[in-house]
Amino acid sequence: MSYAFPDSDPRPPHRPRRGPLTVAVAASVAAALAGWLVWQAVADSGEGGTPGAAPSSQQRPSTGAGASASPAPSDQGTPDESADEDKNDDKATGTTSSAPAATGPLKGKVVVIDPGHNPGNFRHTAEINRLVDIGTNRKACDTTGTSTNSGYTEARFTLDVSRRLRTLLEKQGATVRFTQDGDRAWGPCVDERARIGNKAHADAVVSVHADGSAAGNRGFHVILPGSVKAGIADTRAIVGPSRELGERIAGNFVRATGSAPSNYVGNGTGLVVRRDLGGLNLSTVPKVFIECGNMRDSKDAALLTSGAWRQKAAQGISEGIVSFLRG
């Protein structure tokens, strides 16, 4: 997801919270800062790219609301150097859905996971380029997503992380639903992705992505819905809980993966507010996007193509969701 947009908001001051919630958020933020300091001490931050600028041949607008495609890859992608590890990890974690656990801290909770894009989108350009209403304007139904320089696709990445995430959440007792599981030829459109979470009365929705920014731009960020009241979009009721969900995920993602918050958006917070994404604008339940890293940076790509790291990413997102739902 490239960043050339006017809709990012500076991080607003937190409103006072009470009781256990205050303690939980403080712990999350403290842990995130500690994790970031550790990362700074042991890893190359990859500074030096132009913030927000993607290479001209790969630049694309916002994921989930009309990103232009990188060159069309095969639906399976070209495995990176970690292909053997991918196979072993996929066998270990499994990619099929299992019944929710009979008991667990998330029993009775519904989580919708939205794996960004679809491996078949590039074969259906007419369908995914169709414009849909996102409240503030009309945008493309969906996009192909990005890929690493060696061809590992974002759509493949998002499905893998999402399936690992489902397994972890179901072990906690949650009912987990997907917007797509590689089981349809293309899509769904961004408006349908939002409706799936709404109709499920989800307690939390997370859309999983990876970015396609310039080399040198590194790190993860969580995208939060801005306050929108336009046309069919009204996010005012979900802005607060969505921020809480995003903060919990960001703090736990740092701890689980060792990755730092983005060095090119979010001013080091790992949090970005946007009003131009249909998947957020049309949601009526708490929802965030997470960009797990930048596929166009070689150092981030080495992480994103590692099955072991993707398991850590799923763990961090899962722990954030559990923390949010348990309050």
Side-chain angles (χ1 to χ4, degrees):
M1 188 182 298
S2 300
Y3 288 87
F5 57 90
D7 295 321
S8 290
D9 292 345
R11 190 179 187 186
H14 291 295
R15 282 184 272 181
R17 298 187 177 94
R18 301 175 182 174
L21 187 59
T22 302
V23 176
V25 173
S28 175
V29 173
L33 178 59
W36 181 79
L37 291 173
V38 170
W39 184 91
Q40 288 280 58
V42 301
D44 181 356
S45 67
E47 296 276 350
T50 303
S56 59
S57 63
Q58 302 300 336
Q59 189 167 359
R60 58 197 185 95
S62 309
T63 304
S68 63
S70 51
S74 69
D75 60 340
Q76 295 300 316
T78 302
D80 281 14
E81 58 274 10
S82 60
D84 290 339
E85 185 177 13
D86 285 354
K87 293 176 183 177
N88 291 336
D89 285 349
D90 288 344
K91 289 177 181 178
T93 60
T95 59
T96 58
S97 179
S98 59
T103 60
L106 299 189
K107 183 178 181 181
K109 300 293 186 180
V110 176
V111 179
V112 171
I113 304 301
D114 178 28
H117 312 291
N118 183 312
N121 274 359
F122 77 94
R123 293 194 184 101
H124 296 271
T125 55
E127 291 89 343
I128 68 170
N129 286 330
R130 176 174 63 85
L131 298 181
V132 299
D133 185 0
I134 68 166
T136 53
N137 63 323
R138 295 174 66 80
K139 282 201 168 183
C141 155
D142 199 12
T143 69
T144 62
T146 189
S147 67
T148 65
N149 292 331
S150 58
Y152 181 73
T153 64
E154 182 183 0
R156 183 178 169 194
F157 169 84
T158 65
L159 275 173
D160 182 79
V161 172
S162 295
R163 288 164 176 167
R164 295 169 188 268
L165 177 56
R166 173 173 59 198
T167 298
L168 293 169
L169 290 171
E170 287 179 343
K171 288 180 179 178
Q172 296 289 319
T175 297
V176 181
R177 299 178 183 174
F178 274 28
T179 58
Q180 61 93 14
D181 195 5
D183 52 356
R184 51 190 292 168
W186 56 274
C189 295
V190 296
D191 55 343
E192 183 183 351
R193 290 174 187 265
R195 286 196 299 271
I196 290 169
N198 298 344
K199 290 179 179 179
H201 302 288
D203 296 287
V205 183
V206 177
S207 188
V208 179
H209 287 267
D211 205 0
S213 186
N217 290 344
R218 297 197 62 195
F220 78 93
H221 60 280
V222 179
I223 304 175
L224 314 175
S227 183
V228 172
K229 177 65 172 72
I232 61 174
D234 187 353
T235 63
R236 293 173 296 177
I238 68 164
V239 167
S242 295
R243 173 169 283 276
E244 181 66 28
L245 172 62
E247 289 174 342
R248 301 291 182 118
I249 289 175
N252 282 281
F253 197 84
V254 169
R255 285 201 298 273
T257 66
S259 292
S262 169
N263 64 10
Y264 58 102
V265 291
N267 297 317
T269 66
L271 301 173
V272 176
V273 175
R274 294 184 64 171
R275 298 185 180 90
D276 63 328
L277 300 180
L280 296 180
N281 284 4
L282 302 179
S283 183
T284 60
V285 294
K287 182 174 182 177
V288 299
F289 282 41
I290 181 166
E291 298 279 354
C292 295
N294 177 20
M295 295 194 115
R296 291 295 175 180
D297 178 83
S298 61
K299 293 176 181 177
D300 269 12
L303 300 176
L304 297 166
T305 55
S306 163
W309 187 89
R310 292 196 300 273
Q311 185 64 27
K312 292 178 182 178
Q315 186 70 44
I317 298 168
S318 172
E319 290 175 357
I321 294 171
V322 172
S323 174
F324 170 75
L325 293 180
R326 297 189 70 183

